[in-house]
């Protein structure tokens, strides 16, 4: 190997991974556009949609609720500890509420749903791919994108804002419980304080974010499931990729959306 | 034999540097049962998936009933086919009868639920399964029963063309015999055109009118099943007698 070969090794590796990254972005974008185009064209599968709504929305309630409850409680303690350094303990209720609805409710809820839903979608569709069920769907004149992807993506996009809204309420309640029982806040004053400082835009921006996160979660689950490799290992890898990419995309898009709503 | 149902002209397909199909020419007449044989990994499944449009061939022509398979309404095209997959490929989230009646519960062939269920149970009975099986889920069935359900699903919408992908793989010899017999009976009574891929010689003798041997990406030999034993083709001879020595190189 000559010196020139060694010198080109590093730029070649950088170039290769850059190209691979661009290719993935391109194929995810095409997958997303194809999902949207199938969303608008019949046939529709309402039964599949309701089934997905139940699994993605309703069954995620405990996970999202628990996450919000403990996060709200911890948030109250942290803000109290920080606020007390410049005699601003009274901001606890409003900051807990704003923090929950603008940021933590949708983001943590989205991440929890990513772990639960993106994984299960990728594993289910990946197994269907490996056992030729996707091919079987096609031969039975049923488009896999319409039958599998569209109902899940639509259900997640619609269910996630509802989950986030419920998470917001439970999170604020977590802060309230800690505030009243541990930090000696007056119950009525805590509620009034929360209510007075919270604006409608705080809530709606958080819910829009949640809808975007829901879309990302289901899209990543379906995308990686449909491209699953062979065998148990392929499905395992697809599941991991789905959760990791959904989580990273949630955090990245959260920053972008926060800039937009700022 | 009447007109050709499936015509393939110089069909080629590569995956990267792996040239799986290197120019396939094959005709299947209406109502004929063609069996494609060949070793594992010779592209039998790819050939079948090319006809169905699950895999796009790189070049060549595929005509089904005289029309180009890659053009026109793909759903209407697929409605003429039934397919039995190697592993059954039953949808495990659906009960057995919903699997069998899948095509009858949605799309252009949609029927009322009760009627679809009745047809499903009738088709299950045709493949030798009792009506109690209808409400079970695929995971609760044995391998042989899953194959039968897959067969019932393939014939549920009375297709003109049926594909069988290794119908006896993973079954014991007796169950293989039963499935072979069922396939033969069903194909004859429906008057369907059938294409089977297998490397099980007992299937070939039970199912085939004609045999084609796929080797090295081309059809090595084709002819009536009766001529198979006296073909004089060294590749075919080695395959049907399962000899390790011969022109086909085997990996040891």
């Amino acid at each position: 190997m000559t010196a020139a070969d060694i010198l080109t090794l590093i730029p070649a590796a950088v170039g290769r991974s850059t190209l691979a990254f661009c290719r993935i972005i391109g194929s995810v974008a095409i997958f997303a556009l194809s999902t949207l185009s199938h969303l608008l064209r019949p046939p529709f599968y309402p039964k599949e949609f309701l089934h997905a709504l139940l699994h993605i929305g309703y069954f995620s309630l405990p996970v999202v609720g628990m996450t919000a409850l403990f996060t709200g409680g911890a948030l109250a303690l942290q803000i109290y500890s920080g606020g007390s350094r410049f005699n601003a303990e009274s901001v606890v209720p409003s900051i807990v509420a704003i923090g929950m609805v603008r940021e933590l409710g949708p983001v943590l809820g989205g991440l929890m749903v990513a772990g639960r839903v993106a994984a299960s979608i990728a594993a289910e569709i990946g197994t269907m791919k490996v056992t030729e069920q996707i091919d079987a769907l096609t031969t039975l004149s049923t488009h896999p994108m319409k039958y599998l992807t569209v109902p899940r993506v639509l259900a997640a996009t619609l269910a996630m804002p509802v989950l986030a809204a419920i998470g917001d309420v439970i999170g604020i309640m977590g802060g309230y419980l800690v505030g009243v029982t541990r930090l000696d806040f007056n119950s009525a004053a805590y509620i009034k304080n929360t209510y007075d400082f919270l604006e409608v835009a705080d809530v709606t921006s958080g819910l829009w974010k949640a809808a975007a996160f829901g879309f990302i979660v289901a899209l990543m689950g379906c995308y990686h499931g449909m491209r699953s490799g062979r065998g148990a290992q392929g499905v395992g890898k697809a599941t991991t990729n789905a959760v990791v990419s959904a989580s990273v995309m949630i955090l990245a898009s959260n920053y972008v959306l926060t800039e937009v709503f700022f | 034999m009447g007109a050709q149902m499936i015509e393939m002209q110089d069909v080629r397909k590569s995956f990267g540097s792996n040239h799986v199909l290197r120019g396939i020419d094959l005709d299947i007449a209406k109502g004929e049962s063609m069996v494609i044989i060949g070793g594992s990994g010779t592209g039998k499944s790819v050939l079948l998936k090319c006809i169905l449009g699950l895999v796009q061939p790189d070049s060549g022509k595929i005509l089904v009933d005289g029309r180009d398979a890659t053009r026109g309404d793909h759903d209407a095209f697929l409605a003429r086919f039934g397919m039995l997959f190697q592993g059954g490929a039953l949808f495990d989230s659906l009960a057995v009868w919903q699997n069998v009646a899948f095509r009858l519960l949605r799309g252009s062939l949609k029927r009322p639920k009760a009627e679809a269920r009745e047809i499903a149970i009738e088709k299950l009975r045709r493949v030798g399964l009792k009506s109690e099986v209808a409400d079970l889920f695929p995971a609760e069935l044995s391998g042989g029963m899953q194959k039968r359900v897959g067969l019932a699903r393939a014939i549920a919408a009375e297709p003109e063309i049926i594909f069988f992908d290794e119908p006896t793989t993973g079954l014991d010899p007796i169950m293989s015999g039963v499935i072979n017999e069922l396939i033969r009976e069903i194909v004859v009574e429906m008057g369907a055109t059938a294409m089977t891929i297998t490397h099980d010689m007992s299937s070939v003798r039970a199912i085939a009118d004609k045999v084609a041997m796929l080797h090295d990406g081309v059809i090595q030999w084709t002819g009536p099943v009766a001529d198979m034993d006296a073909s004089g083709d060294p590749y075919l001879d080695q395959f049907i007698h399962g000899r390790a020595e011969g022109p086909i190189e085997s990996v040891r």
Side-chain angles (χ1 to χ4, degrees):
Chain A
M1 198 183 264
T2 65
D5 284 341
I6 295 169
L7 276 177
T8 54
L9 269 180
I10 294 169
V14 172
R16 233 187 338 264
S17 44
T18 310
L19 283 177
F21 184 67
C22 292
R23 197 158 42 227
I24 291 170
I25 294 198
S27 75
V28 169
I30 290 169
F31 191 83
L33 287 177
S34 146
T35 304
L36 292 177
S37 87
H38 282 295
L39 179 66
L40 302 173
R41 285 177 294 149
F44 305 114
Y45 297 101
K47 221 185 256 172
E48 297 303 309
F49 168 70
L50 290 175
H51 189 256
L53 207 55
L54 183 73
H55 276 261
I56 296 170
Y58 185 69
F59 292 150
S60 292
L61 269 176
V63 179
V64 171
M66 294 295 256
T67 310
L69 183 71
F70 292 122
T71 306
L75 201 56
L77 289 176
Q78 297 283 29
I79 293 164
Y80 186 85
S81 152
S84 64
R85 290 171 204 174
F86 33 91
N87 295 323
E89 295 92 338
S90 60
V91 298
V92 169
S94 46
I95 305 229
V96 165
I98 291 169
M100 277 314 296
V101 301
R102 284 186 74 107
E103 186 73 21
L104 294 173
V107 173
L108 288 182
L111 289 176
M112 295 311 285
V113 172
R116 218 188 78 83
V117 172
S120 82
I121 291 177
E124 186 184 1
I125 295 183
T127 307
M128 289 183 74
K129 168 102 193 274
V130 170
T131 55
E132 293 188 297
Q133 291 179 49
I134 306 271
D135 282 344
L137 270 181
T138 309
T139 62
L140 293 166
S141 308
T142 304
H143 202 296
M145 287 296 277
K146 285 188 200 298
Y147 186 75
L148 296 172
T149 306
V150 166
R152 284 167 175 76
V153 170
L154 187 63
T157 311
L158 296 178
M160 199 54 224
V162 178
L163 284 171
I166 294 168
D168 289 349
V169 173
I170 295 177
I172 291 171
M173 194 183 80
Y176 164 84
L177 288 174
V178 169
V180 170
T181 57
R182 298 269 294 106
L183 306 173
D184 294 330
F185 275 90
N186 174 280
S187 167
Y190 191 105
I191 293 170
K192 185 172 179 342
N193 215 332
T194 300
Y195 193 74
D196 282 351
F197 283 94
L198 204 59
E199 287 171 20
V200 174
D202 294 329
V203 180
T204 50
S205 74
L207 298 185
W208 280 114
K209 277 184 182 179
F213 300 161
F215 179 78
I216 289 171
V217 165
L219 191 76
M220 285 296 101
C222 294
Y223 173 79
H224 288 288
M226 291 281 189
R227 292 170 155 259
S228 166
R230 287 180 179 191
Q233 210 174 15
V235 176
K237 205 170 156 205
T239 310
T240 311
N241 287 343
V243 176
V244 171
S245 60
S247 304
V248 172
M249 278 176 72
I250 284 176
L251 294 172
S253 65
N254 177 52
Y255 174 72
V256 175
L257 290 170
T258 307
E259 281 280 7
V260 171
F261 291 124
F262 192 61
Chain B
M1 292 289 167
Q4 304 297 342
M5 193 59 160
I6 299 173
E7 293 164 78
M8 278 177 273
Q9 293 157 12
D10 197 30
V11 175
R12 290 165 189 273
K13 177 72 191 174
S14 305
F15 295 99
S17 59
N18 183 13
H19 306 291
V20 181
L21 305 180
R22 301 165 185 248
I24 299 281
D25 293 291
L26 186 67
D27 292 339
I28 303 173
K30 257 181 199 153
E32 185 176 77
S33 174
M34 169 69 86
V35 174
I36 315 270
I37 55 174
S40 307
T42 47
K44 301 189 298 290
S45 290
V46 174
L47 180 66
L48 207 144
K49 286 178 180 178
C50 278
I51 302 173
L52 288 169
L54 296 172
V55 170
Q56 290 298 325
D58 297 332
S59 65
K61 222 174 191 178
I62 298 175
L63 301 176
V64 173
D65 207 5
R67 264 169 295 180
D68 193 329
T70 52
R71 297 211 189 118
D73 183 356
H74 202 59
D75 282 353
F77 170 77
L78 285 170
R80 307 178 69 178
F81 286 89
M83 168 136 182
L84 172 61
F85 284 86
Q86 195 174 340
L90 301 175
F91 305 122
D92 32 33
S93 59
L94 299 177
V96 163
W97 80 266
Q98 288 169 316
N99 263 287
V100 175
F102 193 88
R103 214 191 256 286
L104 308 174
L105 289 169
R106 44 185 71 73
S108 53
L109 297 173
K110 190 170 174 162
R111 307 194 187 181
K113 207 170 165 182
E115 194 187 328
R117 189 185 154 92
E118 221 162 88
I119 295 174
I121 287 175
E122 182 209 313
K123 297 293 173 190
L124 285 170
R125 200 168 294 138
R126 180 66 198 85
V127 297
L129 291 173
K130 295 200 181 89
S131 57
E132 294 91 78
V133 176
D135 292 309
L136 297 177
F137 281 85
E140 298 172 89
L141 305 179
S142 68
M145 285 164 96
Q146 287 188 7
K147 274 271 159 72
R148 288 180 196 232
V149 175
L151 186 55
R153 182 173 72 181
I155 61 170
E158 312 271 332
E160 299 161 64
I161 306 162
I162 316 179
F163 286 171
F164 302 97
D165 186 356
E166 311 220 347
T168 57
T169 300
L171 301 179
D172 66 64
I174 296 169
M175 185 55 75
S176 297
V178 172
I179 295 282
N180 285 336
E181 218 163 88
L182 262 177
I183 289 176
R184 184 75 216 177
E185 280 171 24
I186 285 169
V187 168
V188 169
E189 81 189 24
M190 287 173 67
T193 306
M195 180 166 151
T196 309
I197 57 183
T198 186
H199 41 229
D200 176 354
M201 290 315 295
S202 68
S203 281
V204 178
R205 293 180 203 281
I207 299 172
D209 293 326
K210 276 178 97 176
V211 179
M213 174 157 177
L214 185 62
H215 179 70
D216 218 10
V218 294
I219 299 293
Q220 185 71 35
W221 183 86
T222 181
V225 66
D227 298 354
M228 186 172 69
D229 292 306
S231 69
D233 184 284
Y235 290 90
L236 185 66
D237 270 350
Q238 186 190 352
F239 191 88
I240 57 181
H241 296 112
R243 285 194 288 260
E245 303 295 321
I248 304 174
E249 289 172 30
S250 58
V251 182
R252 286 168 195 256

